[in-house]
Amino acid sequence: MASGNIDWIRLDKALSVEAEKGFTNLQGNQYQFNEFLCLNFGNSPPNGTPTSDRRKWQNFAAQYADYSNLSVAQRKTLISQTRQFLYELRKTLETPSEPQPPKLPKTTAITDKKASLRPISLEQSLSTLAEVGYKRAELLKRLGLYTVKDLLFYYPRDHIDYARQVTINNLVAGETVTIVGTVKRCNCFTSPKNKKLSIFELILRDHTGQIKLNRFFAGTRFTSRGWQERQKRIYPLGSTVAASGLVKQNRYGITLDNPEIEVLDSVGSSIESIKIGRVLPVYPLTEGVGADLIRKAIIVSLEAIKQLRDPLPRVLREQYGLMGLKEAISNIHFPETSELLAHARRRLVFDEFFYLQLGFLQRRQEQKQIHNSTVFTPKGRLIEQFDNILPFSLTNAQQRVINEILEDLNSVTPMNRLVQGDVGAGKTIVAVFAVLAALQSGYQAALMAPTEVLAEQHYRKLIPWFNQLYLPVELLTGSTKKAKREEIHRQLITGELPLLVGTHALIQDTVNFQKLGLVVIDEQHRFGVQQRAKLLAKGKSPHVLTMTATPIPRTLALTLHGDLDVSQIDELPPGRQAIQTTVLTGKERTQAYDLIRREVAQGRQVYIIFPMIEESEKLDVKAAVEEHKKLSDKVFPDFNIGLLHGRMSSVEKDGVLTAFRDNKYHIIVSTTVIEVGVDVPNATVMLIENAERFGLSQLHQLRGRVGRGSHKSYCLLMSSSKTPDARQRLSVLEQSQDGFFISEMDLRFRGPGTVLGTRQSGLPDFALASLIEDQEVLELARVAAEKIIAADKNLGSLPSLKKELETRYQKLMGGEILT
């Protein structure tokens, strides 16, 4: 390749890592990302670069010089354009003079000689394959693999690229490659330090240099002289050998780590191994099931690919540049090139997203066809009165979302809307308008929150407003006394109680409404699917309003709530000040304590938060209790300090929070119990210990407990971690107060399951798709699904697509019905 001195590999790695880390202009060992790119594009382009490409090359140097001033979206576009440019340029510069890699046979040709001559069918049991047999088929059942079709759709979790052949002098540590050379020396012997370890040693040479390869075999059967001599005879001096593996640098020089090795007939002959010289699939495994078993079974099963029918219409495939299904399945397993693998993955990722979105949109169509008598009037006495008693004006965003909700409630189709709003955006007010629309139309409403603290907070907010409107409202939680609970049950059945606020206690069988017309679920992602459904079942197709103060990135919203209408309160009420956020180390703790003393001296209050220790709630409580004692006795002996943790009873928690609201405590030491729902306008300092152990969205939620009054507020993030990644993650909070941006970055850093809480997140079970890497494909799939549904909502003209949807959607969602 006539490519000058350009280090293509390092350039591509730099661009890949920058994209993976969220386009943050990473700091390398010597240079920042954009400096490294400027240096590379500042050099002359490679020899043979066309004139038009030379101009583009120089333009990239100028664009990366201005990289720090670009938005995340602009950086993303620039990097995408750069990678495409480098790929095309490298293809242009390739010349035939480069040594050709060994010829690889078609994967379907790598089969066992004992394979049956009978054609293999998609529904054929794996036990009938000669390469598998009954015993191995029983092992594969542990992975849910029963038929040939199951195997074909059992995608690799990763690939190791051994397809790139390089010469010995071009080996770079960290890459996976294949080399071809001549055997200069071969030896196999027992380790002098471990009599049960046999060491195989091979020295290869090509026209650029030589390399020593080692393999290690543990066990007495490998230390016999006979076995060792047989190994040496396999690789005679002067024979041609191909070796694939991960390049490593050790104290003896460069080598391949535990390489796969095969003797060739000659330098240009075919490699027959299923591992060497190709892009090798890596599959999810389980105990007793080895990688080679799955690879060999899939190779045999590839014969059945020709029986697959592609459900996607050809017009759609051509419009979105998608590979055919047969070709995609073949290349996701054993691709001939990395480019074919990328195209195959894109098609199969598109399928996963497309069928999910198609299912969501069909459900949405079905919901809109449900007609009932639960129609609320958007205008009425209660809404007018509430408008008059509000001591402040609604923001434009609040008014817009209220109008969207009232329009939904005035329809015979049950509302199914999610309201997203940042901390302090005023979601509760919006929900009250929906509740009043239900009440003035003669229906009851229920508001369910995930914790007693949050339910109590809502109840406290609603009481003053509902008292002025002469409307009863009650609170039902696990702590509600038996007599009070029974009274609430009676009033619900008679219809005397129009609004009930509560926790999971609302879904108990003993709770029955006379005429439930509206369900409001706060922080709904904290509830399981069945819990939400159980509350809905207490009415006849009630309208549903779900709310979250945890802004969800669009990719997550589409994947979780593709069948919901989504409203965003993207504007904070006037007067809300930005919270000054600072990341501190242990050495700067004195500064934090000085700030706390100053704020308390001015009559303000403080939160000090400790992380939840998932392994042991006892340790979590112990840490908080010990720190409370230390702060009370030694650090702030003149201040009243309260303690709040998850092991306290609801009555105890409520007592501490009430005392804090009444300014009887200057400081409250707490675990993450106060993450949402606590509203104390006088609190101005939030000190979070071990902040690196929290997610960004959770830190943003905690930060939202201060800055709720008119005084300047502070959030101090104490971190004991010295890793650059932790510091980089926390710096996002120093730079931004935007919950949507923060949640997007949290998604990039930690992944969707962790951001949402894996257990109850309701995330679909994707085999290939990544909500971080495949956002563009998700957007395409959504648009494609919308076009298909708009043209044929019942998919009557696309029977194969309809059949595939039924299978795929149920499998992705685990058979669950979403709210």
Side-chain angles (χ1 to χ4, degrees):
M1 181 182 293
S3 55
N5 296 318
I6 302 305
D7 192 336
W8 301 98
I9 302 297
R10 286 187 70 197
L11 261 177
D12 188 57
K13 274 191 176 179
L15 291 160
S16 297
V17 173
E18 173 70 5
E20 287 169 9
K21 296 297 184 182
F23 311 97
T24 55
N25 203 12
L26 290 169
Q27 177 66 53
N29 291 333
Q30 289 180 286
Y31 306 106
Q32 267 194 289
F33 166 74
N34 73 316
E35 293 171 345
F36 176 72
L37 270 290
C38 282
L39 284 171
N40 276 273
F41 284 113
N43 294 327
S44 299
N47 298 332
T49 301
T51 305
S52 60
D53 285 342
R54 285 179 174 272
R55 284 195 294 271
K56 288 181 184 177
W57 183 278
Q58 292 159 359
N59 287 339
F60 279 123
Q63 290 180 74
Y64 280 103
D66 192 45
Y67 187 79
S68 57
N69 296 322
L70 302 181
S71 67
V72 172
Q74 290 169 326
R75 293 179 181 187
K76 184 177 179 180
T77 302
L78 175 59
I79 286 175
S80 176
Q81 291 171 347
T82 308
R83 295 176 80 173
Q84 184 65 32
F85 169 75
L86 291 174
Y87 170 71
E88 296 292 344
L89 177 60
R90 196 171 177 187
K91 276 206 311 187
T92 303
L93 296 175
E94 286 177 350
T95 64
S97 59
E98 179 139 339
Q100 294 298 307
K103 297 170 188 171
L104 296 175
K106 293 289 182 185
T107 307
T108 48
I110 312 173
T111 57
D112 194 298
K113 292 178 182 177
K114 297 178 183 176
S116 170
L117 298 175
R118 187 182 61 185
I120 295 173
S121 69
L122 290 171
E123 301 307 325
Q124 186 172 335
S125 170
L126 295 178
S127 62
T128 63
L129 298 179
E131 295 74 9
V132 179
Y134 178 78
K135 286 186 178 179
R136 289 175 178 173
E138 289 299 307
L139 292 175
L140 291 173
K141 286 179 182 178
R142 297 178 186 177
L143 294 169
L145 304 175
Y146 298 89
T147 66
V148 166
K149 187 175 182 181
D150 292 339
L151 262 181
L152 293 179
F153 284 87
Y154 191 67
Y155 303 142
R157 63 174 172 81
D158 199 1
H159 291 80
I160 303 173
D161 189 357
Y162 291 150
R164 194 168 71 89
Q165 184 192 336
V166 300
T167 51
I168 290 172
N169 70 332
N170 280 322
L171 291 173
V172 177
E175 296 176 2
T176 51
V177 297
T178 293
I179 57 174
V180 175
T182 304
V183 176
K184 183 184 176 187
R185 193 177 80 193
C186 179
N187 196 12
C188 191
F189 55 94
T190 301
S191 168
K193 295 182 180 180
N194 184 348
K195 297 304 179 184
K196 294 183 179 180
L197 181 68
S198 184
I199 301 173
F200 173 78
E201 189 178 271
L202 189 70
I203 295 180
L204 294 184
R205 170 184 282 172
D206 68 7
H207 68 283
T208 68
Q210 69 178 36
I211 186 172
K212 182 165 81 169
L213 306 177
N214 287 318
R215 294 198 67 180
F216 302 92
F217 300 89
T220 52
R221 68 192 182 96
F222 300 115
T223 58
S224 73
R225 197 68 202 147
W227 184 87
Q228 293 174 352
E229 287 299 321
R230 283 196 299 275
Q231 296 307 303
K232 289 159 68 173
R233 287 198 294 271
I234 293 172
Y235 307 98
L237 295 181
S239 61
T240 301
V241 167
S244 296
L246 173 68
V247 183
K248 278 200 169 183
Q249 179 83 42
N250 60 30
R251 57 181 175 171
Y252 302 112
I254 207 105
T255 187
L256 299 185
D257 184 45
N258 196 28
E260 299 290 343
I261 306 169
E262 179 179 324
V263 179
L264 307 179
D265 293 335
S266 62
V267 172
S269 63
S270 295
I271 296 175
E272 299 300 329
S273 167
I274 64 171
K275 297 180 182 178
I276 297 172
R278 62 178 68 253
V279 181
L280 183 70
V282 180
Y283 295 93
L285 303 174
T286 190
E287 186 179 353
V289 182
D292 284 350
L293 168 59
I294 293 181
R295 290 187 189 119
K296 287 175 182 176
I298 285 176
I299 286 170
V300 175
S301 300
L302 288 175
E303 180 194 318
I305 280 181
K306 56 181 177 286
Q307 300 168 31
L308 289 172
R309 296 289 175 264
D310 198 332
L312 287 192
R314 179 183 293 179
V315 175
L316 188 147
R317 296 201 306 268
E318 290 174 353
Q319 183 178 357
Y320 294 104
L322 300 171
M323 181 183 271
L325 181 62
K326 297 176 187 178
E327 195 181 357
I329 292 292
S330 178
N331 281 286
I332 199 65
H333 290 295
F334 287 95
E336 293 183 22
T337 66
S338 297
E339 287 74 24
L340 282 172
L341 170 61
H343 285 298
R345 186 183 179 281
R346 185 174 183 271
R347 161 62 202 264
L348 298 174
V349 165
F350 180 91
D351 279 6
E352 289 191 308
F353 285 143
F354 174 73
Y355 290 112
L356 177 67
Q357 296 305 318
L358 204 59
F360 276 148
L361 292 170
Q362 240 195 2
R363 279 176 51 77
R364 205 165 169 183
Q365 289 286 342
E366 290 166 6
Q367 288 163 0
K368 289 181 178 178
Q369 290 170 13
I370 296 172
H371 296 286
N372 59 28
S373 56
T374 316
V375 180
F376 301 163
T377 172
K379 294 181 181 179
R381 178 180 59 83
L382 290 179
I383 287 181
E384 288 174 9
Q385 286 179 339
F386 185 58
D387 242 339
N388 293 332
I389 66 173
L390 273 180
F392 51 81
S393 298
L394 298 170
T395 65
N396 292 331
Q398 283 175 313
Q399 192 60 63
R400 183 189 72 245
V401 173
I402 288 168
N403 291 341
E404 290 169 352
I405 290 169
L406 293 179
E407 187 177 336
D408 287 349
L409 296 177
N410 195 33
S411 166
V412 292
T413 302
M415 175 177 71
N416 207 359
R417 184 171 291 276
L418 169 69
V419 174
Q420 290 195 89
D422 214 335
V423 177
K427 295 178 294 302
T428 306
I429 296 287
V430 168
V432 170
F433 275 91
V435 168
L436 294 177
L439 270 52
Q440 69 186 13
S441 303
Y443 289 91
Q444 292 168 296
L447 193 163
M448 185 166 71
T451 65
E452 292 197 10
V453 171
L454 186 50
E456 169 79 18
Q457 184 71 41
H458 282 307
Y459 179 67
R460 284 175 176 272
K461 268 190 178 178
L462 293 170
I463 283 289
W465 295 330
F466 275 56
N467 282 347
Q468 293 181 68
L469 297 170
Y470 304 102
L471 291 171
V473 55
E474 291 289 358
L475 176 67
L476 182 64
T477 70
S479 305
T480 306
K481 294 286 191 294
K482 184 181 178 183
K484 181 67 175 175
R485 182 185 298 271
E486 290 174 352
E487 177 64 15
I488 289 172
H489 291 168
R490 187 190 63 76
Q491 291 182 354
L492 282 176
I493 293 172
T494 61
E496 297 169 61
L497 182 60
L499 172 62
L500 181 61
V501 179
T503 56
H504 303 74
L506 298 189
I507 64 176
Q508 292 175 348
D509 294 338
T510 50
V511 177
N512 293 294
F513 293 79
Q514 184 193 65
K515 199 177 181 185
L516 180 63
L518 173 70
V519 169
V520 181
I521 304 175
D522 198 13
E523 293 298 316
Q524 59 86 36
H525 62 278
R526 295 188 174 206
F527 292 100
V529 172
Q530 293 176 346
Q531 291 171 321
R532 300 195 295 259
K534 201 167 181 182
L535 180 58
L536 267 59
K538 293 184 181 293
K540 293 181 180 178
S541 300
H543 295 284
V544 182
L545 179 66
T546 55
M547 305 191 297
T548 179
T550 308
I552 303 172
R554 176 170 165 75
T555 50
L556 274 184
L558 277 177
T559 312
L560 283 167
H561 312 302
D563 56 344
L564 303 184
D565 295 306
V566 180
S567 296
Q568 290 189 359
I569 306 179
D570 49 10
E571 178 185 2
L572 289 176
R576 287 298 297 266
Q577 298 183 43
I579 300 161
Q580 184 175 318
T581 304
T582 311
V583 179
L584 300 173
T585 64
K587 295 177 182 177
E588 299 164 303
R589 183 173 293 278
T590 305
Q591 297 175 27
Y593 288 163
D594 287 345
L595 173 64
I596 289 172
R597 288 189 184 94
R598 191 181 74 218
E599 287 296 300
V600 173
Q602 293 176 11
R604 314 284 174 257
Q605 290 167 278
V606 177
Y607 295 102
I608 298 179
I609 307 299
F610 287 85
M612 183 70 74
I613 300 170
E614 292 181 6
E615 296 81 9
S616 170
E617 193 180 356
K618 289 182 181 177
L619 289 176
D620 167 32
V621 172
K622 183 182 177 186
V625 170
E626 288 177 354
E627 191 63 21
H628 173 261
K629 184 171 181 1
K630 176 185 164 188
L631 291 169
S632 301
D633 295 346
K634 298 178 181 178
V635 184
F636 303 116
D638 299 332
F639 299 156
N640 292 329
I641 304 179
L643 175 64
L644 193 65
H645 58 72
R647 283 293 182 95
M648 296 167 69
S649 69
S650 298
V651 174
E652 289 171 322
K653 287 178 194 171
D654 192 50
V656 173
L657 286 171
T658 301
F660 190 60
R661 287 190 193 98
D662 296 342
N663 207 355
K664 292 177 182 177
Y665 288 128
H666 302 108
I667 301 171
I668 191 166
V669 173
S670 175
T671 56
T672 50
V673 174
I674 58 93
E675 181 184 340
V676 291
V678 178
D679 188 2
V680 181
N682 193 47
T684 57
V685 181
M686 168 68 65
L687 170 61
I688 303 173
E689 298 284 355
N690 300 116
E692 74 279 357
R693 290 165 63 177
F694 293 87
L696 295 183
S697 293
Q698 191 178 20
L699 288 171
H700 181 60
Q701 288 286 327
L702 289 166
R703 176 170 64 178
R705 297 308 104 208
V706 296
R708 304 177 82 82
S710 57
H711 310 294
K712 183 172 178 59
S713 294
Y714 307 86
C715 180
L716 308 176
L717 304 175
M718 296 294 301
S719 175
S720 57
S721 175
K722 295 179 181 178
T723 64
D725 281 355
R727 184 65 182 80
Q728 183 189 5
R729 214 166 55 82
L730 294 176
S731 68
V732 171
L733 287 153
E734 288 183 310
Q735 298 161 14
S736 178
Q737 309 268 330
D738 182 347
F740 288 95
F741 171 76
I742 289 166
S743 66
E744 186 75 48
M745 297 307 293
D746 207 12
L747 176 66
R748 289 187 177 280
F749 280 119
R750 299 197 303 150
T754 314
V755 169
L756 293 167
T758 308
R759 288 181 187 172
Q760 291 189 326
S761 65
L763 272 174
D765 186 16
F766 296 124
L768 280 179
S770 162
L771 296 182
I772 301 169
E773 297 174 9
D774 302 313
Q775 295 184 15
E776 175 236 349
V777 182
L778 172 57
E779 296 284 356
L780 281 182
R782 176 70 174 193
V783 172
E786 286 173 342
K787 287 181 179 177
I788 292 283
I789 289 293
D792 184 357
K793 62 184 178 183
N794 295 317
L795 305 179
S797 61
L798 299 165
S800 59
L801 187 65
K802 185 174 183 177
K803 184 178 179 182
E804 187 73 11
L805 170 63
E806 290 169 1
T807 304
R808 294 269 197 144
Y809 183 69
Q810 286 300 315
K811 188 175 179 182
L812 274 172
M813 301 313 301
E816 290 180 331
I817 299 172
L818 296 183
T819 302

